[in-house]
Amino acid sequence: QVQLVESGGGLVQAGGSLRLSCAASGRSFSIYAMGWFRQAPGKEREFVAAVTWSAGSTFYADSVKGRFTISRDNAKNTVYLQMNSLKPEDTAVYYCAEGPRARVSNDQYDYWGQGTQVTVSS
């Protein structure tokens, strides 16, 4: 049974930083791509960032490019999302997801975490 557990969310002022973590268990983490998505109240879930299994390639939504960095540590079965220069519009529940390929579409991922709330105050 695959489990993904996010942590690191919280309340931060605009311009601040947070680092999200997602710990994976249940199958060979190092051979799967990982993605981060977010969902704000009343909105669709949207792609934020993704990383290939080897961390050789990363992908970002235009809205976070240059501010967010996705990384992974295969020895720790963990993927991270470093978020800098946060804006109120970044407020959302952030989810990590695991799948065979790093894709922007959420239907390309097999497993999802429960989410962690990020709130950015102005």
Side-chain angles (χ1 to χ4, degrees), residues 101-117:
R101 297 176 187 83
R103 293 290 186 265
V104 302
S105 174
N106 59 18
D107 62 6
Q108 297 296 306
Y109 292 84
D110 302 323
Y111 295 97
W112 293 81
Q114 83 289 349
T116 186
Q117 176 70 46

Side-chain angles (χ1 to χ4, degrees), residues 8-10 12 18 20 83 86 90-94 116-120:
V12 64
L18 283 174
L20 306 184
M83 306 186 295
L86 282 161
D90 294 318
T91 296
V93 177
Y94 283 71
T116 186
Q117 176 70 46
V118 171
T119 303
V120 184

Side-chain angles (χ1 to χ4, degrees), residues 46-106:
E46 66 175 2
F47 170 76
V48 175
V51 60
T52 56
W53 67 272
S54 65
S57 295
T58 56
F59 308 90
Y60 297 94
D62 287 343
S63 59
V64 307
K65 205 170 290 184
R67 299 188 298 122
F68 291 10
T69 302
I70 188 171
S71 62
R72 65 188 296 161
D73 184 339
N74 287 344
K76 295 182 178 180
N77 289 358
T78 302
V79 63
Y80 304 97
L81 186 68
Q82 177 66 44
M83 306 186 295
N84 299 328
S85 302
L86 282 161
K87 305 175 181 180
E89 52 263 44
D90 294 318
T91 296
V93 177
Y94 283 71
Y95 300 88
C96 67
E98 183 181 90
R101 297 176 187 83
R103 293 290 186 265
V104 302
S105 174
N106 59 18

Side-chain angles (χ1 to χ4, degrees), residues 10 28 37 47 50:
S28 299
F37 291 76
F47 170 76

